[in-house]
Amino acid sequence: MRAIAYRQPGPVDAADSLSDVTLDDPRPGPRDLLVRVRAVSVNPVDTKVRRNTAPPAGEWKVLGWDAAGIVEAVGEQVRNFQVGDKVFYAGDLTRQGSNAELQAVDERIVGHMPASLDFAQAAALPLTAITAWEALFDRLDVRRAVPGGADALLVIGGAGGVGSIAIQLARQLTDLTVIATASRPETRAWVQRMGAHHVIDHREALAPQVQALQLGQPSFVFSTTQTHRHLADVATLIAPQGRFALIDDPQQLDISPFKRKSVSTHWEFMYTRSMFSTPDIGEQARLLDEVGRLVDAGKLLTTLHTRLSPIDAATLRQAHTMTESGTNIGKIAIEGF
């Protein structure tokens, strides 16, 4: 099969950062689907792994943790899919990725693709939808009120992939007032399209802007980027006994200012369930199916913003460069080999 891979980690502008290669077709395990990939999406995790993780000596590393495609074969223990099904998923960080014509993936982390979307639109959703869903409902537990806190959620980095779907999930599945941060006219317009009630500027101090909204102190804060820059502001603006979640990787994270308010802190990493094969691993398939249902009901929008083609080394290098710029709106998807 055709694939895009590397042997030596490094910067995206290195000559061998990503290469077009031919690899053996993967063999699906008992619970695996063998998927013919039709579209992929690029996430910050792709660029982090490419820069820092070397494959075993002499082997190729295939990136890619968002895909949509068609089931070509199923393992003998597969229960919920059959050949010909259209699927979307975010994969498993410990296995080869989706930047290949064929991928083997555990059915328990795969959803049925929304019928109303094309492959690129669907590929834009899985990783960010799982991340946002787990952060909101499993970590922050936003359906459980904070005594005395405003029924409000602040999403830091609202125009990114995770922020874009978190805003939508909060609007559609809760009664929370959603505040999102964005700094440019185009990103402000994007988060408003996603459904944010209020938009504030993350280039300025957050606490005074939240106070000016006169909503009270938000019960929940979800930080998707630049957490280290905003932590002091979060400690000021969040409600006592509020709940804080983050997904990025600050070099240092001093949460001692949260102590006096008893703010609980939650780190969301959507690969935990697949990496450790947790007993509830199947929750990811169920939530992707629910996301698909909400999309087809017209309640959620795809977060696809930039569509590229074809799936090859040159296009993926372009997408990695765009992702590393930190200025993307929504998601980048690439379609077609």
Side-chain angles (χ1 to χ4, degrees), residues 27-196:
R27 296 181 179 180
R31 295 297 303 271
D32 284 347
L33 310 176
L34 183 65
V35 178
R36 183 161 294 278
V37 175
R38 298 289 298 275
V40 299
S41 185
V42 175
N43 296 280
V45 64
D46 295 75
T47 68
K48 294 174 186 176
V49 173
R50 190 210 71 241
R51 290 194 304 266
N52 299 303
T53 303
E59 296 186 18
W60 291 97
K61 177 65 176 175
V62 179
L63 302 173
W65 290 283
D66 258 333
I70 301 173
V71 176
E72 190 149 300
V74 298
E76 62 267 23
Q77 295 179 22
V78 168
R79 303 168 186 169
N80 298 316
F81 297 89
Q82 59 187 5
V83 173
D85 284 350
K86 294 181 179 180
V87 295
F88 72 146
Y89 54 89
D92 179 343
L93 199 62
T94 66
R95 302 181 70 174
Q96 292 284 50
S98 57
N99 296 341
E101 288 184 292
L102 295 168
Q103 184 180 15
V105 59
D106 191 313
E107 69 161 340
R108 293 172 293 178
I109 58 174
V110 176
H112 295 84
M113 191 178 118
S116 58
L117 300 184
D118 64 29
F119 288 106
Q121 292 170 327
L125 285 172
L127 184 148
T128 53
I130 295 170
T131 300
W133 187 293
E134 291 183 349
L136 294 178
F137 303 114
D138 296 344
R139 314 295 174 232
L140 291 174
D141 194 10
V142 296
R143 293 187 175 113
R144 180 169 59 90
V146 171
D151 290 332
L153 165 72
L154 170 63
V155 179
I156 299 174
V162 174
S164 296
I165 193 66
I167 292 166
Q168 295 187 68
L169 289 172
R171 283 300 311 268
Q172 293 298 326
L173 301 178
T174 78
D175 293 325
L176 295 170
T177 297
V178 179
I179 310 162
T181 78
S183 61
R184 294 173 282 153
E186 60 269 31
T187 55
R188 293 179 67 89
W190 176 266
V191 298
Q192 288 171 332
R193 180 174 175 238
M194 294 299 105

Side-chain angles (χ1 to χ4, degrees), residues 200-260:
I200 62 176
D201 188 346
H202 49 235
R203 293 181 180 174
E204 307 292 337
L206 299 181
Q209 296 179 79
V210 171
Q211 186 177 13
L213 296 175
Q214 298 184 339
L215 300 170
Q217 293 184 302
S219 294
F220 312 104
V221 177
F222 180 22
S223 179
T224 71
T225 186
Q226 298 288 314
T227 296
H228 64 286
R229 290 182 50 203
H230 304 295
L231 204 63
D233 255 345
V234 172
T236 299
L237 66 88
I238 197 169
Q241 301 187 87
R243 298 193 280 276
F244 172 71
L246 70 156
I247 60 171
D248 57 333
D249 301 296
Q251 291 187 352
Q252 295 182 344
L253 190 70
D254 180 7
I255 62 172
S256 56
F258 288 165
K259 180 178 180 179
R260 69 189 186 96

